[in-house]
């Protein structure tokens, strides 16, 4: 199968005409608490931090929003995703994968796939398309050429790892859900297979992430109500691990086991932290450790967001700016070996994921405190996207938004945001 260039049945809804803008740490810090319950029930851990309405002391007014370059309407599928690769914005839709010119929004090519869920690594997409007995896994270049298409009954999501495939799926006949690792052209049960046990059948898995030696799958892309299932396994052995899902202003975790609280690996889109002398170092929910279950190297009172070499960028509590009725935070880049901050950006609310990182751009979602939900605390109210230079901490722009982004991507001076079916590109002023 090859890319169909310009096929009308895969045209995005609407046009690329410009439209109105989208409406509306240091070492030894206090560790946030988290609640949990045994597998399979999802234990919610929000790590939400209250935010003041007014600007906190030390925080400068936000810079102007970026300029809108273009916007199009897409037909969202079960697993919305977007990437910026070179001069293209790639997006999954209900009918396939489409590439747009990132500067103009003009369509460059479309590949027809039935409601795909895709992952990207090294300029290559791995897409599960179809469902049930007809599910298949297609491998395609970011130029739109399919190089392999393998029937894989029951598959929902997949991630390429060298010659291996990490696959999450379900058995329609037995209502079972599973996560497995498979070699090249290897069938069931593969190198290892983790069964969900009593985890009931719900929606299809929508996301799969490999981070710091842990594979995590989830059936919710974005859900502010903390409703959804997840599974996680050790990459090498397939042993069950706590399944952590990033949320706006926090995270949820399931599968922590009957022993109660454990320190667990926090999934990061940026990849692994690389600490000299500690090749197995991982980022956990409240700091950095020598390895899973290892000794603490750095403690953070807040949320780790991304890792950059031996640094971690996190949104942390800033007790130096705390006042009665005001709760202050900073976005902070911390050197793990020394615990020293390379830069700090004061905020009055938590900034976290959904997020996007490139070599010269970091986009975070900021959320204030909203309505109280019994047992879970306040539900976050998303209000702003922040663009920060990851090297210097320069706050480039702040963009008001109306709801949680389904997907974000950034590269250079371009940022692409998918919210409620509207795919919009912004350019730094």
């Amino acid at each position: 199968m090859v890319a169909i260039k310009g096929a009308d049945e895969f045209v995005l809804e609407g046009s690329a005409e410009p439209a109105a803008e989208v409406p509306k740490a240091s070492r030894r810090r206090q560790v946030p608490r988290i609640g949990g319950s045994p597998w399979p029930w999802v234990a919610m851990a929000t790590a939400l931090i209250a935010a003041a309405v007014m600007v906190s002391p030390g925080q400068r007014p936000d810079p102007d929003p970026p300029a809108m370059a273009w916007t199009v309407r897409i037909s969202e599928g079960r697993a919305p995703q977007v990437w910026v690769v070179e001069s293209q914005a790639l997006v999954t839709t209900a009918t396939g994968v489409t590439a747009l010119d990132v500067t103009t929004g003009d369509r460059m090519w479309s590949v027809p796939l039935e409601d795909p869920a895709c992952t990207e690594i090294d300029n290559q997409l791995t897409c599960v398309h179809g469902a049930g007995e007809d599910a298949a896994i297609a491998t395609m270049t970011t130029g739109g050429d399919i190089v392999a298409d393998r029937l894989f009954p029951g598959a929902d999501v997949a991630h390429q790892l060298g010659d291996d495939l990490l696959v999450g799926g379900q058995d329609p006949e037995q209502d079972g859900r599973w996560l497995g690792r498979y070699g090249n052209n290897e069938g069931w049960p593969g190198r290892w297979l983790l069964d969900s046990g009593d985890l009931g059948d719900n929606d299809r898995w929508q996301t799969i992430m490999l981070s710091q030696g842990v594979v995590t799958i989830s059936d919710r892309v974005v859900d502010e109500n903390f409703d959804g299932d997840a599974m996680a396994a050790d990459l090498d052995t397939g042993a069950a691990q706590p399944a952590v899902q990033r949320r706006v202003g926090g995270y949820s975790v399931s599968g922590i086991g009957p022993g109660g609280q454990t320190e667990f690996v926090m999934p990061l889109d940026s990849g692994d932290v690389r600490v000299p002398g500690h090749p197995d170092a991982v980022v956990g929910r409240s700091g950095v450790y020598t390895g899973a279950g290892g000794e603490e190297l750095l403690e953070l009172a807040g949320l780790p967001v991304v890792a950059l070499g031996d640094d971690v960028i996190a949104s942390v509590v800033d007790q130096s700016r705390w006042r009665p009725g005001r709760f202050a935070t900073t976005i902070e880049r911390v050197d793990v070996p020394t615990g020293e901050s390379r830069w700090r950006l004061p905020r009055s609310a938590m900034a976290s994921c959904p997020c996007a990182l490139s070599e010269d751009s970091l986009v975070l979602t900021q959320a204030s405190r909203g309505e109280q939900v019994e047992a879970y605390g306040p539900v976050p109210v998303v209000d702003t996207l922040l663009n920060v230079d990851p090297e210097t901490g320069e706050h480039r722009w702040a963009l008001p938004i109306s709801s949680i982004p389904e997907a974000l991507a950034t590269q250079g001076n371009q940022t692409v945001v998918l919210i409620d079916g509207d795919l919009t590109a912004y350019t730094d002023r």
Side-chain angles (χ1 to χ4, degrees), residues 95-240:
T95 56
V97 179
T98 295
L100 308 174
D101 186 298
V102 75
T103 58
T104 66
D106 295 335
R107 190 184 61 182
M108 301 176 68
W109 51 261
S110 292
V111 173
L113 296 172
E114 182 185 345
D115 203 7
C118 302
T119 54
E120 186 272 337
I121 186 169
D122 296 334
N123 292 335
Q124 183 172 279
L125 299 182
T126 303
C127 300
V128 175
H129 60 103
E133 293 297 322
D134 297 324
I137 302 176
T139 302
M140 60 184 293
T141 70
T142 51
D145 296 317
I146 291 185
V147 297
D149 199 1
R150 171 185 178 183
L151 188 66
F152 207 114
D156 290 334
V157 291
H159 185 290
Q160 190 78 39
L161 180 66
D163 292 332
D164 288 4
L165 277 174
L166 304 170
V167 185
Q170 50 192 302
D171 183 347
E173 295 182 359
Q174 300 179 11
D175 292 332
R177 311 179 85 184
W178 46 264
L179 170 61
R181 178 172 178 174
Y182 301 86
N184 189 26
N185 294 322
E186 187 176 12
W188 193 280
R191 297 181 186 273
W192 52 255
L193 181 69
L194 176 65
D195 190 90
S196 64
D198 295 330
L199 184 63
D201 188 22
N202 202 346
D203 295 336
R204 297 182 68 186
W205 299 120
Q206 292 173 283
T207 65
I208 182 168
M209 176 183 287
L210 171 60
S211 178
Q212 307 175 90
V214 176
V215 188
T216 304
I217 54 177
S218 167
D219 64 8
R220 291 290 187 274
V221 175
V222 173
D223 192 334
E224 66 275 21
N225 294 319
F226 309 106
D227 179 25
D229 291 324
M231 292 175 61
D234 181 274
L235 172 64
D236 295 324
T237 67

